[in-house]
Amino acid sequence: MAEVIKMPRLSDTMAEGVIVSWNKKVGDKVKPGDVLADVETDKATMELESYNEGTLLYIGVEAGKAVKVDGLLAIIGKEGEDFKKLLESNQTATEVSKTENASTPTAKVESANASLPEGAKVIRMPLLSDTMTEGKIVSWNKKIGDLVKSDDVLAEVETDKATMEVVGYEEGTLLYIGVDAGNAAKINEIIAIIGKKGTDVSAFVAAEKSGISSQAVTTTQKATVASSPNLEKTSISTTEPSAASGDDRIKASPLAKKIAAEKGIDISKLNGSGDGGRIIKKDVDEYVTAASSQKNNALGN
């Protein structure tokens, strides 16, 4: 059965995303983990992965164009499958949603004790698939008090479709962890807060839990992820089981996996220089350079 791929909300202020480029075209075969497109949000450029297998039947927005959060990006299904009814039903659902949003006022409750301290940034459970309602924290790669860089992987999250790496895209100290490893968090629930060392966020956390945070809350709000103000090439990536290490996972960015596959490199043999040993593009490039140098030296001898 064909599946609709929608624009996820990838930052706390994101209203739409611009398709920088499509890595697949209509008619191409798609596997889970394939990067469908590069998407530029208001804070970062990210790789959008597929969690479905099949044929790319339809692309809803051209490269260079923007699409609203929850807007239709693509449809994946069986080759030759009729997806017109799916398009029609999606259009109807979009129109109904717009009507509901227009008639539903934004609920905003102010509290002097509920404001987020200056410089602190909230990391919430992101909406990573159309059917996701919650995510389970598989493990935390950081603990409270640790310094965090913008490209550090904070945690691994298991959704209904894949195990994902959650990157904070913020720099500072990890001040708060809202969900212990092994437990699940609902979409949009706070999973962490990053800020200046020593910042007290307890009042904000208490207010958030009681539903009186001074930040605007809407009935239609969906998952958010705090993102870096720098438009770097970043990603939220699936992790795959390692063939050589049982339950261990090979941690690698989608871009690193893609380059390694194109060059015929066994990525499990690489040493990762990223956070927690994560393999990044630089590691693949250095491996290629080293291999080329060794080959040239051998020929020279």
Side-chain angles (χ1 to χ4, degrees):
M1 181 178 178
E3 296 283 345
V4 170
I5 311 299
K6 295 182 178 181
M7 175 65 76
R9 189 185 296 273
L10 300 171
S11 83
D12 51 349
T13 56
M14 178 180 171
E16 63 181 21
V18 176
I19 301 297
V20 178
S21 63
W22 282 98
N23 296 322
K24 298 287 184 178
K25 62 182 184 297
V26 173
D28 282 356
K29 299 293 183 183
V30 177
K31 304 187 302 296
D34 283 355
V35 177
L36 294 177
D38 292 335
V39 177
E40 183 180 303
T41 73
D42 57 332
K43 293 183 177 179
T45 298
M46 310 185 75
E47 293 177 335
L48 181 69
E49 294 188 17
S50 170
Y51 308 110
N52 303 90
E53 186 166 355
T55 299
L56 185 57
L57 304 173
Y58 174 80
I59 288 177
V61 58
E62 298 175 2
K65 298 291 182 64
V67 60
K68 299 289 185 182
V69 169
D70 253 2
L72 188 150
L73 289 177
I75 296 178
I76 295 174
K78 294 180 180 178
E79 187 173 357
E81 185 176 355
D82 185 1
F83 57 86
K84 290 182 179 179
K85 289 185 178 179
L86 198 58
L87 272 178
E88 292 171 357
S89 62
N90 184 79
Q91 184 175 1
T92 301
T94 300
E95 291 172 352
V96 170
S97 177
K98 286 180 179 179
T99 302
E100 290 177 346
N101 290 347
S103 61
T104 305
T106 297
K108 186 174 182 179
V109 182
E110 299 290 343
S111 171
N113 298 320
S115 57
L116 186 65
E118 184 179 357
K121 298 293 183 180
V122 172
I123 313 297
R124 297 179 183 270
M125 178 60 72
L127 178 66
L128 300 170
S129 79
D130 293 340
T131 55
M132 177 183 171
T133 57
E134 64 179 21
K136 178 182 177 181
I137 302 293
V138 177
S139 63
W140 282 98
N141 296 327
K142 298 287 183 180
K143 62 182 184 295
I144 292 176
D146 281 356
L147 292 177
V148 178
K149 301 191 298 291
S150 61
D151 59 348
D152 282 351
V153 176
L154 296 179
E156 290 188 18
V157 174
E158 182 181 301
T159 74
D160 57 333
K161 292 186 176 180
T163 298
M164 316 287 291
E165 293 176 343
V166 174
V167 181
Y169 308 116
E170 296 292 344
E171 295 199 359
T173 298
L174 184 56
L175 304 171
Y176 171 79
I177 288 178
V179 184
D180 293 332
N183 294 335
K186 298 293 184 182
I187 294 301
N188 207 38
E189 184 177 338
I190 293 178
I191 59 173
I193 298 177
I194 295 172
K196 296 178 182 178
K197 185 177 181 179
T199 301
D200 183 3
V201 296
S202 58
F204 175 81
V205 170
E208 175 79 16
K209 289 182 177 179
S210 63
I212 59 169
S213 171
S214 65
Q215 294 183 331
V217 178
T218 68
T219 57
T220 57
Q221 185 178 20
K222 295 201 174 175
T224 60
V225 183
S227 301
S228 168
N230 300 319
L231 292 179
E232 298 181 16
K233 184 69 175 181
T234 55
S235 64
I236 296 178
S237 61
T238 56
T239 55
E240 301 172 359
S242 168
S245 54
D247 292 335
D248 292 340
R249 294 185 177 91
I250 299 174
K251 295 182 179 181
S253 73
L255 188 58
K257 291 178 184 178
K258 181 181 179 182
I259 295 172
E262 289 175 349
K263 296 183 178 295
I265 298 170
D266 182 354
I267 201 167
S268 66
K269 295 181 179 179
L270 275 62
N271 294 319
S273 62
D275 184 60
R278 187 168 181 254
I279 299 168
I280 56 179
K281 179 180 180 293
K282 183 184 73 171
D283 301 321
V284 181
D285 291 341
E286 288 178 353
Y287 181 90
V288 172
T289 300
S292 178
S293 178
Q294 289 178 357
K295 182 178 180 181
N296 291 334
N297 289 338
L299 291 174
N301 293 334

